[in-house]
Amino acid sequence: MSGQSLLVPGEITPVRSVPGNIRRPEYVGKPAPTPYTGPEVQDTDTVERMRIAGRIAAQAMEEAAKHIAPGVTTDQLDKVAHDFMVDHGAYPSTLGYRGFPKSLCTSLNEVICHGIPDSTVLRDGDIVNLDVTAYINGVHGDNNATYLCGDVDEESRLLVERTRESLNRAIKAVRPGRQISVIGRVIESYAKRFGYGVVRDFTGHGINTSFHSGLIIPHYDSPHATTVMQPGMTFTIEPMLTLGTHEYDLWEDGWTVVTKDRKRTAQFEHTLVVTETGAEILTLP
């Protein structure tokens, strides 16, 4: 495994501005979002709006990923994604969500999720997860991917490749009439082939007009995930696989989640809608 030193918090720059004409999610400026009480099955108009939000989120992530290189700061990546979303009339969903101060999450190496962009400088050999969500026309589109920075060691490269594959396999398992648990069963059984840990406490989620609707999508084989998938349901699948334990620690910032053994971790995510025959990915660039 890579001999990189462990991450430490950097300095966070001031909150980036969003033009006043861009619609904000209802939670901005509040300590928490209003609990979602609507349906998990969305109508065709909502799904079409989510395609637009998902496309912008995917394009913003792609644009930020083009700048991943040794010497670039995670804050610079945040600026690229922020500017792209704003230029396309979208609000960065993470900005102000429960007080989160930035427009995407940047999770490097041992960071499982929710890393805050700051003055941290990318190093040759890092793996970098970008998590980007866009809000436009009253709905959210959420996606993430893990990228290689420079010359990455084989163990980390395989972890990234296999985490992507675990998401692809999970998407193929989506069918109306099946329980949500099949998603985690597919991911966990694949991850176990390589001895990877599967993060349990951070999950996929329902998404629509709400960033997190309350529907939970576990990435392990959970006997409690008995909700039956129906056409029109919209949610994310976002497996987080680790080279070691699935257990974690939380930094003092209240957001940054790191593996307890500080071994590396990777994640991939798409927003989906269940169709009559499977799933359609809504976060395609």
Side-chain angles (χ1 to χ4, degrees), residues 178-184 216-218 225-227 229 233 235:
R178 290 181 174 175
Q179 292 185 347
I180 291 290
S181 58
V182 71
I183 294 169
I216 300 299
I217 312 295
T226 56
T227 299
M229 293 181 267
M233 286 180 71
F235 52 81

Side-chain angles (χ1 to χ4, degrees), residues 175-196:
R175 290 283 188 284
R178 290 181 174 175
Q179 292 185 347
I180 291 290
S181 58
V182 71
I183 294 169
R185 191 173 310 127
V186 165
I187 293 167
E188 187 173 42
S189 63
Y190 179 71
K192 278 184 173 179
R193 287 167 48 180
F194 310 104
Y196 295 156

Side-chain angles (χ1 to χ4, degrees), residues 124-191:
D124 185 59
D126 284 340
I127 59 173
V128 184
N129 180 269
L130 303 181
D131 194 336
V132 181
T133 310
Y135 177 79
I136 189 169
N137 298 326
V139 295
H140 301 267
D142 185 4
N143 68 161
N144 76 55
T146 304
Y147 300 90
L148 310 181
C149 181
D151 184 19
V152 175
D153 68 275
E154 180 74 357
E155 186 178 36
S156 299
R157 188 186 63 75
L158 285 172
L159 173 69
V160 170
E161 182 181 299
R162 291 163 175 167
T163 305
R164 181 192 291 113
E165 175 63 16
S166 77
L167 172 60
N168 293 339
R169 289 174 179 235
I171 292 170
K172 289 175 183 175
V174 172
R175 290 283 188 284
R178 290 181 174 175
Q179 292 185 347
I180 291 290
S181 58
V182 71
I183 294 169
R185 191 173 310 127
V186 165
I187 293 167
E188 187 173 42
S189 63
Y190 179 71

Side-chain angles (χ1 to χ4, degrees), residues 218-247:
H219 302 122
Y220 63 98
D221 189 1
S222 170
H224 306 295
T226 56
T227 299
V228 174
M229 293 181 267
Q230 304 173 56
M233 286 180 71
T234 50
F235 52 81
T236 72
I237 303 176
E238 45 188 300
M240 292 151 261
L241 305 187
T242 72
L243 290 175
T245 182
H246 68 270
E247 296 181 342

Side-chain angles (χ1 to χ4, degrees), residues 58-73:
Q59 291 172 339
M61 184 174 71
E62 268 196 348
E63 196 61 35
K66 291 176 185 175
H67 294 77
I68 291 174
V72 174
T73 68

